Amino acid sequence: MRLKLLAVIMLLTLLLIGCNKAEDHTYSLDFFEVSKVKLDNLQLDNINKIIEEKRIDNELKAFLFKDNENGQVNGGVSLNGKSFYIGKVSVENTPEDLMGIEEIEIFGKKAVKIYGVLGANYAQAFYWFVEEKPQDSIIQVDGQTMEIDLDDDDKKEIVSTLGTVPETRIYVWKEDSIYASDINKSIEAKSVSLKDKEKQLFEVYFEPNKPEEYVYFKDSFIKR
């Protein structure tokens, strides 16, 4: 009789654990350190046309330009009189609202955002942290990007979304470096996108036609 009672108690315990797991909608996110963009020297005679320029101060500026080889739009920065090439920014004839240079604040740091599109559903942005050392000053982010304070600490993070079936990443500052999390992979979701910027609300699909709402909090995704 005692053995049967113990067996029943163990079974009930396992069932309760299973229920708690089913009701637990908090997912820990996996993060990886973001690589910095390698800066290459830019020869001014390779510049065919300056499209846009943003001067930060007398020694710092960012610019978009076309070179002598093709019609694509490239990005460059000037640091203390030296010019550097950062990469392809956008295709030729990109609409003005999809390409440009902006001064922003991200992770509580002063930055310049250089953004454009390289094809259908393929946007990207470079973030230049102007107060950092040159070799640690620029990251490249794939996807449509926006800056938003996800954890209400008065410092904005980066959210990027890429693809017709949305794949979303969060970029955060911790341990004196920039880390990113691929949310789709971390929580094994089919689709993730930022639905409401004001409410910091993400829309998640684990299966078709069943959207769920989540928020980011302390390196985790929590169901609303």
Side-chain angles (χ1 to χ4, degrees):
M1 184 68 180
R2 183 176 295 178
L3 291 175
K4 288 183 178 180
L5 181 60
L6 289 173
V8 170
I9 292 173
M10 290 180 65
L11 178 60
L12 290 173
T13 301
L14 290 172
L15 288 173
L16 286 171
I17 291 173
C19 289
N20 288 336
K21 285 185 177 179
E23 294 172 359
D24 184 6
H25 295 288
T26 298
Y27 295 89
S28 294
L29 298 179
D30 298 321
F31 284 84
F32 58 90
E33 189 170 358
V34 176
S35 299
K36 306 299 192 302
V37 173
K38 181 181 178 181
L39 295 180
D40 295 321
N41 290 325
L42 175 62
Q43 302 299 322
L44 297 183
D45 55 6
N46 288 333
I47 297 176
N48 180 275
K49 179 182 179 182
I50 297 290
I51 299 173
E52 184 177 347
E53 182 178 279
K54 178 75 69 173
R55 183 170 291 278
I56 313 307
D57 58 33
N58 291 333
E59 300 296 334
L60 304 174
K61 68 177 180 179
F63 52 94
L64 297 174
F65 69 95
K66 289 185 178 181
D67 58 26
N68 296 315
E69 297 180 2
N70 52 57
Q72 72 188 17
V73 179
N74 304 289
V77 297
S78 179
L79 309 172
N80 303 317
K82 294 183 179 180
S83 294
F84 298 91
Y85 172 72
I86 63 171
K88 302 174 185 177
V89 173
S90 205
V91 296
E92 190 175 16
N93 299 320
T94 300
E96 290 185 2
D97 60 330
L98 298 179
M99 177 181 72
I101 306 173
E102 299 176 359
E103 288 188 69
I104 62 171
E105 186 174 285
I106 195 76
F107 311 134
K109 298 176 178 291
K110 184 178 179 181
V112 174
K113 179 180 180 180
I114 305 167
Y115 62 94
V117 293
L118 293 176
N121 297 312
Y122 183 20
Q124 69 162 356
F126 294 90
Y127 289 85
W128 174 27
F129 298 92
V130 297
E131 296 171 340
E132 302 290 327
K133 296 178 180 178
Q135 63 269 27
D136 296 322
S137 64
I138 298 177
I139 63 169
Q140 189 265 333
V141 177
D142 290 326
Q144 295 284 352
T145 57
M146 65 179 68
E147 300 76 42
I148 175 174
D149 182 5
L150 291 173
D151 48 13
D152 296 319
D153 63 352
D154 295 324
K155 295 179 182 179
K156 292 182 178 180
E157 288 74 40
I158 301 170
V159 176
S160 71
T161 302
L162 181 67
T164 52
V165 178
E167 298 180 11
T168 296
R169 289 183 175 184
I170 293 175
Y171 293 75
V172 302
W173 177 270
K174 55 179 170 179
E175 300 175 3
D176 295 324
S177 192
I178 300 169
Y179 286 78
S181 176
D182 185 323
I183 301 172
N184 297 59
K185 290 182 179 179
S186 285
I187 69 175
E188 298 182 355
K190 297 183 182 299
S191 169
V192 180
S193 59
L194 183 61
K195 179 182 179 181
D196 190 322
K197 184 176 180 180
E198 297 300 321
K199 296 180 180 179
Q200 306 157 341
L201 203 60
F202 291 82
E203 186 173 71
V204 177
Y205 285 85
F206 291 98
E207 52 185 304
N209 304 316
K210 291 186 178 180
E212 300 179 20
E213 294 181 343
Y214 280 77
V215 294
Y216 170 82
F217 182 72
K218 292 185 177 180
D219 294 347
S220 295
F221 236 37
I222 303 172
K223 187 173 181 179
R224 288 290 299 269

